[in-house]
Amino acid sequence: MSGSETSPPKTLPARWPLASVFAIVFCAWLALSWPWLSGIVTIPWDAKAHFHPQLQFLATAWHRALSPFWTPFVFAGSPQVADPQSLIFSPPFALIAALNPAPSFRWSDGAVLGTLLAGAFAIVLIFRDRDWHPAGAVVAALAFAFGASAAWRIQHVGQVLSLGYFAITLLLLARTLERSSLLYGFAAGIVAGFMVLGRDQVALIGVYVLAGLVIAAIAMARNPLRALRTSIGPLLAGTLGAVLIATVPILLTAFLAQESNRPEIDLLGAGKGSLHPASLLTGLIANLYGTAGPLDNFWGPPSPAWEQRFGPLDLYLARNMSDLYLGLLPMLLILTVGLVRGALFRREIVALAVAAAVVLVYALGRYTPGFRLIFEALPGVNLYRRPADALFILGALLALLGGYLTHLVMTDAAPRARLWHRLVETALLVGALGLALWLAWTVGRLPLAVIPVLTALLCGLLSAGALVAARGLALRGSRIAAAIVLAATLTIDLSVNNGPSESTALPSETYEVLRADSSNETIALLKRETARTAAPDRRDRIELAGIDFHWPNASLVHELDNTLGYNPLRLGLYSKATGAGDHVALPDQRTFSALMPGYRSLLADMLGLRFIATGVPVEQIDKNLKPGDLVQIARTRDAYVYENPRALPRVLLVTQAQKVDFDAILKTGQWPAGFDPKSTVLLEQDPPPLPTGPAQPGSVRIVDYGTTEIALAAEAPRGGFVVLNDVWHHWWQVEVDGKPAPMLRANVLFRAVAVPPGRSTIRFVFRPLEGLYADIGHWLKARRAPPV
């Protein structure tokens, strides 16, 4: 955005052919995306371990006319409607789920890559609206879609989606200000709302950058007061659009977070996710530190090799989180024409340049004093633990800057180089090269750095030659030909340097267990066994522990009720009671708790945990097990499979109740003496009275078990309590014989309801909107209450 964008509405003249440039960008996108779209490889790690199972659950729920707002298939039950990563509110994935009941990996990968294509097209339109050269548009679009974290962290699906929405919102906001358009303002708000729904750090940074650019555009207008007056209406329309889209989901997440496991993050904790300054060298030399190869080859910060030479860093970043490369052509132009010769300080681009500088400071985290100011001043920053996530937005801003500078070169409007410019530019590039080689030599990895350095030199020659050739074509009026030359050059560069790697692409067969039609023997065995033990009152749970990175959420795909899963956001009560952590890819990640000290525990039995599949012998996970505690029933290629014969039914009818202190039980892990969950329910309040008389046998059975609605039938001769061994959450409600009834928190972790004598029908229903309304009321009441 620039100050000129707030000028009076005008009819835009015909400019360079949009369809031709779209076609160039699409062909380059297709070439760079083909390894994934072809199915040869797939986007790995979180994209498959976490997000693809979420997509499959969403598709299954919708095609079976079930609500996706709650799932029983991970962590013994989880409120998907409030989970930022459930994909329920993600238009690309929601559309796929609606169209395909069993989306393949190519569908989920296509949604991610397609979002980047949409963002790239938005950038092309930004350039066309300003009549900047189409070659610059192509450079910016490709660097945006396949550069920096968009390429190296493509497996972080939610953040990639936020990045795509950021580019589209930037286009719509620019048009909002240029044309004082209520329609564009409302559309910008809608897309920004979907970006905010990502509820990730990329979205947060994107919101602040967009707000800053809007303020800059108004302040730098020829008449700021008039610009402000003409912008208020459209910006209010945008606010309305964002509020309509984002308010309810964000409130759901906010109230869930209050009772989740998510810890508060302080400045010290956030600093551990900072971008190390040495990582900036990857802007010129892709894969300098061996990110793309085997893990043992990685030697950049914070690898063991680096820390052995330079000392501990106390950084917690995966190896692919620090790569900035988005093509040598745009980076060289930014360093030379942009910074040394001063083109980035021109009025029409300076706001973007300043935004990029601020975002870079943010990404560097504790390595600059600026991050502390940002952390303490801007709301929301203290919710996130990794400043390096800013590389997503930084990559987008650098792509725009690189494209703008390409436009200057193509139109012969770039500043002329003076001798001192040449000297400084040469010193910068030679200094970067020398520093890279010195670091590699110091760490003892010089042989590993040779190929990346040589590749950078070759790409530099290719980019320089292409820039000269494209400039010649552009000055002769062949704008599209110039765009084709630079598109081909950047496609080659990005395919070589940012192409498929261990971090971004693995063979599709690696994740066969996550296919809906998987023939995996472990999954087939668990399905057979849970079907064998099913009964009117039983719905046995399973656990997948320490098998592999992508296994914990396989239960979402195959509809197995799992006590664990993979998600950084879980119900705090459940985590505290069971010891469930974010992930359980490795055996030592299966931690227990005071209340559930192992698989031989009353809580494990009450959960109905019947079958346990582990990647190692279960005794290596639970050191407290004794012979006979679990029965090994199979040894598959992937796992050891055990049965817990003591697992209790999912529903119980009991006739006795006892008031206890749940917090004390959670802390000590001690149940009341003589407690038997088959006859007694523990409550945190005085139990309602029951008819007196001799106990008589009764029964309860499951009539229907859906995602957000569970129907039971009970026959209680003298009344009692129906206990449903599903995780307690107050957004659930219960009805007895069609009338609302108090839902009781039972046995620390579960749900119960009192039933009258005779036959009863019980219906548990998940109603998050009613629960949210009640939560807001309680919050407002607490705010109005006088301090104690």
Side-chain angles (χ1 to χ4, degrees):
M1 297 181 190
S2 64
S4 63
E5 291 174 10
T6 57
S7 56
K10 57 184 179 181
T11 302
L12 295 177
R15 296 188 173 95
W16 38 263
L18 182 62
S20 298
V21 177
F22 272 175
I24 294 170
V25 171
F26 177 79
C27 290
W29 171 86
L30 186 62
L32 290 166
S33 301
W34 188 247
W36 294 275
L37 297 179
S38 68
I40 297 172
V41 295
T42 191
I43 303 174
W45 306 114
D46 281 8
K48 292 299 168 290
H50 183 47
F51 289 100
H52 186 81
Q54 300 283 357
L55 172 62
Q56 181 59 66
F57 170 73
L58 183 61
T60 300
W62 281 11
H63 285 269
R64 293 187 182 175
L66 297 171
S67 169
F69 286 0
W70 179 277
T71 179
F73 303 130
V74 288
F75 299 111
S78 183
Q80 296 285 94
V81 69
D83 185 350
Q85 301 181 23
S86 67
L87 302 178
I88 292 174
F89 301 107
S90 168
F93 284 93
L95 178 62
I96 288 174
L99 294 175
N100 191 337
S104 67
F105 297 158
R106 291 202 290 183
W107 280 72
S108 55
D109 291 355
V112 176
L113 294 164
T115 300
L116 290 174
L117 177 63
F121 282 165
I123 286 177
V124 170
L125 291 171
I126 290 172
F127 274 67
R128 189 172 186 271
D129 285 352
R130 284 145 191 76
D131 204 19
W132 291 348
H133 200 281
V138 167
V139 168
L142 295 181
F144 163 84
F146 297 98
S149 289
W152 287 98
R153 294 182 60 186
I154 194 172
Q155 69 271 32
H156 294 146
V157 171
Q159 293 169 310
V160 174
L161 295 179
S162 295
L163 179 66
Y165 297 141
F166 169 79
I168 298 170
T169 306
L170 180 63
L171 166 68
L172 296 173
L173 271 178
R175 289 187 171 184
T176 297
L177 298 179
E178 290 169 354
R179 308 176 189 192
S180 298
S181 168
L182 292 172
L183 182 60
Y184 273 115
F186 185 72
I190 294 290
V191 180
F194 282 117
M195 178 177 73
V196 171
L197 283 184
R199 288 157 280 187
D200 53 56
Q201 191 164 203
V202 175
L204 178 71
I205 298 170
V207 166
Y208 280 124
V209 168
L210 291 169
L213 292 176
V214 167
I215 293 170
I218 294 172
M220 296 171 65
R222 294 185 181 91
N223 187 335
L225 289 178
R226 184 178 186 281
L228 178 61
R229 286 196 303 269
T230 59
S231 301
I232 288 176
L235 292 176
L236 287 176
T239 303
L240 175 63
V243 166
L244 289 175
I245 292 295
T247 299
V248 171
I250 286 177
L251 287 174
L252 287 167
T253 300
F255 280 98
L256 175 66
Q258 293 180 6
E259 55 187 290
S260 76
N261 62 293
R262 196 72 171 180
E264 293 185 4
I265 298 169
D266 57 15
L267 181 63
L268 181 62
K272 295 179 180 181
S274 302
L275 178 73
H276 193 280
S279 297
L280 296 178
L281 288 171
T282 62
L284 292 173
I285 307 172
N287 201 35
L288 170 64
Y289 298 117
T291 305
L295 183 59
D296 290 343
N297 286 355
F298 177 62
W299 59 274
S303 68
W306 184 280
E307 292 185 333
Q308 184 177 358
R309 181 60 184 84
F310 295 108
L313 293 176
D314 197 25
L315 291 178
Y316 294 91
L317 293 174
R319 54 176 164 157
N320 62 318
M321 290 181 177
S322 302
D323 285 84
L324 187 56
Y325 193 80
L326 44 82
L328 205 52
L329 174 61
M331 291 303 294
L332 287 175
L333 289 176
I334 289 170
L335 286 177
T336 57
V337 177
L339 292 176
V340 177
R341 303 182 202 176
L344 290 182
F345 302 106
R346 294 185 177 183
R347 183 182 181 86
E348 62 184 346
I349 201 68
V350 67
L352 276 174
V354 171
V358 173
V359 174
L360 176 59
V361 169
Y362 187 107
L364 290 170
R366 71 186 188 199
Y367 292 103
T368 72
F371 179 71
R372 184 187 187 99
L373 297 176
I374 295 172
F375 186 87
E376 295 177 349
L378 296 184
V381 174
N382 60 357
L383 297 175
Y384 300 99
R385 57 188 169 86
R386 197 162 46 222
D389 287 350
L391 286 189
F392 280 96
I393 299 297
L394 180 61
L397 295 174
L398 293 178
L400 287 163
L401 297 177
Y404 168 76
L405 296 171
T406 303
H407 150 73
L408 294 184
V409 173
M410 294 299 105
T411 56
D412 203 26
R416 302 297 178 188
R418 299 180 180 179
L419 177 60
W420 75 267
H421 291 150
R422 299 290 189 192
L423 293 175
V424 173
E425 291 164 4
T426 301
L428 281 174
L429 297 177
V430 172
L433 181 65
L435 178 59
L437 293 173
W438 177 81
L439 288 173
W441 175 77
T442 303
V443 178
R445 299 298 179 94
L446 187 59
L448 293 177
V450 169
I451 292 179
V453 168
L454 290 177
T455 302
L457 292 173
L458 291 174
C459 286
L461 292 174
L462 175 65
S463 299
L467 190 64
V468 170
R471 182 174 180 274
L473 290 169
L475 294 179
R476 291 196 296 270
S478 300
R479 297 188 296 181
I480 299 302
I484 292 173
V485 169
L486 294 187
T489 301
L490 204 53
T491 300
I492 294 171
D493 183 347
L494 293 172
S495 66
V496 170
N497 291 303
N498 283 9
S501 69
E502 282 192 3
S503 295
T504 61
L506 289 175
S508 298
E509 294 75 20
T510 304
Y511 300 101
E512 196 276 337
V513 70
L514 298 180
R515 299 183 190 275
D517 60 352
S518 171
S519 59
N520 181 271
E521 61 176 324
T522 305
I523 295 297
L525 172 67
L526 292 173
K527 287 182 175 181
R528 286 196 307 270
E529 290 300 304
T530 51
R532 175 182 64 83
T533 60
D537 61 345
R538 298 195 74 93
R539 185 182 167 100
D540 288 328
R541 288 192 169 95
I542 61 101
E543 182 164 304
L544 305 171
I547 300 176
D548 206 342
F549 184 86
H550 56 280
W551 269 78
N553 278 356
S555 51
L556 280 170
V557 176
H558 300 292
E559 301 177 69
L560 293 165
D561 291 11
N562 191 355
T563 57
L564 298 178
Y566 175 26
N567 200 323
L569 185 67
R570 303 171 309 286
L571 293 174
L573 173 62
Y574 186 77
S575 293
K576 188 174 183 180
T578 64
D582 289 10
H583 206 1
V584 65
L586 302 173
D588 59 3
Q589 290 178 313
R590 188 15 169 152
T591 55
F592 295 100
S593 66
L595 194 58
M596 186 175 170
Y599 294 120
R600 184 66 166 93
S601 63
L602 182 57
L603 184 57
D605 298 343
M606 294 165 69
L607 281 166
L609 177 53
R610 185 71 173 264
F611 301 103
I612 302 163
T614 59
V616 297
V618 71
E619 296 83 4
Q620 296 182 28
I621 295 176
D622 182 358
K623 305 294 197 307
N624 296 321
L625 283 175
K626 297 179 176 59
D629 284 348
L630 298 178
V631 179
Q632 182 173 343
I633 61 173
R635 171 69 172 103
T636 67
R637 185 179 63 178
D638 306 296
Y640 299 83
V641 183
Y642 302 87
E643 182 173 1
N644 171 22
R646 299 169 302 280
L648 293 176
R650 183 66 60 92
V651 290
L652 297 164
L653 177 66
V654 301
T655 56
Q656 302 176 50
Q658 179 181 347
K659 181 181 178 181
V660 296
D661 184 345
F662 284 166
D663 289 337
I665 293 175
L666 276 170
K667 184 177 181 179
T668 64
Q670 297 297 314
W671 298 98
F675 169 58
D676 182 358
K678 297 189 290 295
S679 60
T680 303
V681 61
L682 304 179
L683 303 175
E684 58 184 346
Q685 60 196 48
D686 291 324
L690 293 175
T692 59
Q696 299 179 41
S699 65
V700 61
R701 60 185 176 87
I702 300 171
V703 176
D704 182 60
Y705 195 100
T707 51
T708 57
E709 187 171 331
I710 300 166
L712 310 175
E715 187 166 345
R718 70 177 188 93
F721 297 90
V722 168
V723 179
L724 174 63
N725 286 325
D726 278 355
V727 173
W728 160 267
H729 193 275
H730 66 280
W731 290 348
W732 281 88
Q733 298 177 7
V734 65
E735 300 168 358
V736 177
D737 294 327
K739 298 178 181 179
M743 189 176 73
L744 308 172
R745 181 178 162 194
N747 300 338
V748 178
L749 193 57
F750 305 109
R751 311 173 210 156
V753 65
V755 294
R759 294 181 179 178
S760 302
T761 58
I762 302 99
R763 182 168 167 260
F764 288 88
V765 185
F766 184 59
R767 295 192 173 109
L769 295 183
E770 292 184 26
L772 174 63
Y773 182 79
D775 284 345
I776 293 173
H778 295 151
W779 182 79
L780 291 174
K781 184 178 179 180
R783 296 273 293 182
R784 290 194 297 266
V788 179

